[in-house]
Amino acid sequence: MKNLFVVVLLVACSCCSSKTAQKGGIETEPTSVTTPYIGVSPCIQKLINQYAAEDKQNPPRKIYSYQYKGKQVYYVPAICCDFYSDLLDENCNVLGHPDGGITGKGDGKLPDLNAEKKEEKLVWEDKR
């Protein structure tokens, strides 16, 4: 039982950890995004800049946009395992968590998202 706990703990920690970029054995700071993304709200641009300034995640961070119930929304996939993904409005208010969590089904607040979302676009992806 103790070994199982150690394995679960190691998997959880490795999933959520990231490494600082290295060049020639010297740690370097990640660069931030300075080029604005056309068509995104200022708060989404701020979120992109924040993610770009953080250590790279595995899997890499992404932000998608959709039309949902006549409004522009932004989907941010979970960074790992049992974390929630986020669905944000244009002001970065959390509308709900469409997937993720222990069950993988989110918080249940957006049961119609997959049926109702339109015009999916990849807004940003961390390509470092």
Side-chain angles (χ1 to χ4, degrees), residues 33 35-52 62-66 72-76 86-95 121-125:
V33 175
T35 305
Y37 283 78
I38 297 171
V40 300
S41 67
C43 75
I44 296 298
Q45 180 63 53
K46 185 175 178 181
L47 189 61
I48 290 169
N49 290 346
Q50 174 188 327
Y51 290 163
K62 296 180 182 182
I63 300 175
Y64 295 88
S65 70
Y66 305 125
Q72 184 81 24
V73 295
Y74 297 91
Y75 172 75
V76 181
D86 296 323
L87 190 70
L88 309 171
D89 68 11
E90 63 184 13
N91 296 312
C92 292
N93 297 309
V94 176
L95 301 173
K121 296 177 187 168
L122 178 61
V123 173
W124 177 80
E125 178 180 9

Side-chain angles (χ1 to χ4, degrees), residues 75-121:
Y75 172 75
V76 181
I79 58 171
C80 183
C81 317
D82 295 332
F83 292 17
Y84 282 128
S85 62
D86 296 323
L87 190 70
L88 309 171
D89 68 11
E90 63 184 13
N91 296 312
C92 292
N93 297 309
V94 176
L95 301 173
H97 307 287
D99 51 39
I102 293 173
T103 66
K105 296 181 180 179
D107 62 5
K109 292 182 180 178
L110 303 160
D112 64 345
L113 177 65
N114 286 329
E116 296 290 325
K117 70 183 181 185
K118 298 175 184 165
E119 301 177 29
E120 178 178 305
K121 296 177 187 168

